[in-house]
Amino acid sequence: MNKPLEPYKAAFSVNGEILYSTSSIAYHLGRLSVTDAHVYDNVDALNSTKSVAALLGLEATPSQYRGLLRGEVLPSCPQIASIYRLYSGLLKFNPYDENSLRKIEEVFFPHGVPNRMSRKLDDFPYPLPMHKKIEALVKGLFRFSSGNVKSMNPITIGCAFAFVFQAIAPYSSSNLPIALFYFHAYLSSYSKSLAHLNLFKVYLTHKEEIDASYAKSAETADMGAYLLCWMKLLDKGVNSLLTRSVKGNGKTTALVEKLLSKMEPDRPYSAEELCRLMGLKSRLGLQKNYLRQGLEAKVLFMTNPLVPTDRNQRYYKKGE
C-alpha cells in the first residue's frame, strides 16, 4: 500500500465543478462592478476586525470599536487595534510578497512569534513537517503563488495558499487566521469588490462545512474538496453583494432629493433636526420615506453605521 501524501504536498486538482464556480464568481463580479458604488472603507475593515477578534478570542467593547473608527489608538486593546490597521490597508497589501509575512507576524504575535518546534499540534490528525523544513516549504508556497500570478485565477491561488499554509502550520497558534487573511488579500487583489466580503465571518458561519472539506482534502491529499467548498461560499457571498448593490444603486425618490437639497454637505443632523427641516411631525415618516430610502441608495450616511439604533445617531450627505 502506498503511503498517502502529506496534506502540504496535496495535489492541485481543478475539476468541472470548480471551473464552473470560478466562472460564476467572475460573471457575478462583472455585474457587480457595474452597479457597486461602495468603496472599501473603515467600516468594512472594522467588521473584519471584529470577526478576527472573535476567532482569536479577543474582546473589546462597542465603544472601543467605535473609537477605532475615530482614529483612537486603544492602548487597552493593542492587538485588535493592530488588526484594524492591517485591514484598513487591505487593498494595498501584496500577498505575493514573501516579506509581507514578517508584517503579519508583528500583528498576530505581539509578544513574539511562536514558531512550531514539534511535529504534533492540536487539531492536526497527521504529522506536520519537521521544524527544519518549515522555512523552505513556506518560501515554496510564495514561489507557487507569485509564479502563477499571470496564469491562474487569484481566487484559486488564494484558496490553495490558505489550504497549504494551514497544512504546513509554521506556528504553534494562529495558523488559520493568518491563512484566511492572505486568502482575503488574494481575493482583494483580484477584485476590490471582494474586499467587502467578511471572509472571517464566512468561516465562522460555515465552520463545520469548511472544516469538513479541509479534513476530506487532507485525507485524500487533494485540495479539490476544500477549493470547491470555498468557491461555492464565495459565489454565494458575491451574489449577496450584488443583490445589495442593485438595491442601493444610487436611485433616489423625489422625497429623498428634497431632503438632500435642504441638507448642508458633511454636516451631521439628528433625526429631530431632519424632521424640523422637512416639517414632519413623525420620526416614523422620516425613517420610512426619507432615511431608509437615502441609506439604501447610498446618498445618506450614518455617523455610527455599526449601531443603526444609536440614540446619538446622526445623518449626513457627503460633499463633492
Side-chain angles (χ1 to χ4, degrees):
M1 180 181 294
N2 294 329
K3 181 180 179 181
L5 288 173
E6 292 88 344
Y8 50 89
K9 297 180 181 178
F12 188 82
S13 63
V14 178
N15 56 31
E17 282 188 287
I18 293 175
L19 286 174
Y20 175 80
S21 294
T22 306
S23 299
S24 181
I25 293 171
Y27 169 73
H28 291 130
L29 280 175
R31 294 185 61 197
L32 183 61
S33 67
V34 176
T35 61
D36 188 15
H38 179 58
V39 177
Y40 182 82
D41 56 21
N42 290 339
V43 174
D44 290 307
L46 190 64
N47 287 332
S48 288
T49 299
K50 294 173 72 175
S51 295
V52 177
L55 189 61
L56 293 175
L58 303 174
E59 296 183 356
T61 65
S63 62
Q64 287 172 325
Y65 278 122
R66 290 196 293 271
L68 287 176
L69 286 178
R70 294 191 296 267
E72 297 177 7
V73 179
L74 292 194
S76 59
C77 307
Q79 189 173 7
I80 290 179
S82 295
I83 293 171
Y84 173 70
R85 287 195 297 272
L86 180 66
Y87 259 98
S88 296
L90 178 65
L91 294 181
K92 297 180 180 179
F93 184 85
N94 181 8
Y96 297 95
D97 180 11
E98 180 185 342
N99 295 322
S100 65
L101 188 57
R102 304 286 83 82
K103 300 176 183 178
I104 301 299
E105 289 175 343
E106 293 175 0
V107 172
F108 282 91
F109 307 119
H111 304 297
V113 181
N115 292 310
R116 178 178 57 77
M117 306 300 293
S118 171
R119 296 196 70 183
K120 294 183 179 180
L121 203 62
D122 292 342
D123 300 326
F124 285 86
Y126 54 85
L128 296 165
M130 293 183 293
H131 173 73
K132 64 180 181 180
K133 293 184 177 181
I134 291 176
E135 184 177 358
L137 287 169
V138 171
K139 287 184 177 180
L141 182 54
F142 277 99
R143 283 197 301 271
F144 159 80
S145 65
S146 60
N148 288 283
V149 62
K150 294 182 179 180
S151 60
M152 191 178 296
N153 189 307
I155 299 177
T156 307
I157 293 177
C159 193
F161 186 102
F163 178 87
V164 176
F165 191 89
Q166 291 178 78
I168 296 172
Y171 315 109
S172 58
S173 64
S174 295
N175 292 292
L176 173 61
I178 293 175
L180 290 183
F181 176 80
Y182 269 97
F183 191 7
H184 201 166
Y186 281 110
L187 295 178
S188 302
S189 72
Y190 174 59
S191 170
K192 292 182 180 180
S193 294
L194 287 174
H196 304 316
L197 284 179
N198 186 336
L199 209 61
F200 283 82
K201 184 176 181 180
V202 173
Y203 174 77
L204 291 169
T205 304
H206 301 277
K207 184 179 185 303
E208 291 186 5
E209 181 181 353
I210 295 171
D211 287 352
S213 71
Y214 183 92
K216 182 177 180 180
S217 287
E219 181 181 356
T220 59
D222 187 325
M223 288 184 245
Y226 187 72
L227 264 65
L228 182 59
C229 179
W230 267 111
M231 294 294 180
K232 290 182 176 178
L233 292 174
L234 291 175
D235 195 23
K236 183 178 179 181
V238 174
N239 252 321
S240 178
L241 290 176
L242 179 60
T243 300
R244 190 171 65 199
S245 181
V246 170
K247 187 177 181 181
N249 63 0
K251 294 182 179 179
T252 58
T253 64
L255 290 177
V256 172
E257 290 293 340
K258 184 177 180 180
L259 174 63
L260 293 172
S261 69
K262 293 179 178 290
M263 296 175 67
E264 297 178 19
D266 298 317
R267 182 201 170 215
Y269 292 82
S270 68
E272 289 79 5
E273 289 176 312
L274 292 177
C275 281
R276 289 196 297 271
L277 199 65
M278 300 305 295
L280 300 173
K281 296 182 180 180
S282 169
R283 289 182 58 177
L284 180 62
L286 177 73
Q287 177 66 33
K288 180 180 179 181
N289 299 315
Y290 296 87
L291 297 182
R292 185 183 302 169
Q293 303 287 341
L295 292 169
E296 288 181 351
K298 299 177 183 176
V299 294
L300 281 179
F301 303 88
M302 293 183 284
T303 55
N304 184 9
L306 295 177
V307 187
T309 58
D310 183 357
R311 62 188 180 89
N312 295 317
Q313 188 69 263
R314 297 292 186 272
Y315 305 89
Y316 66 97
K317 73 173 186 179
K318 292 183 178 180
E320 296 298 332

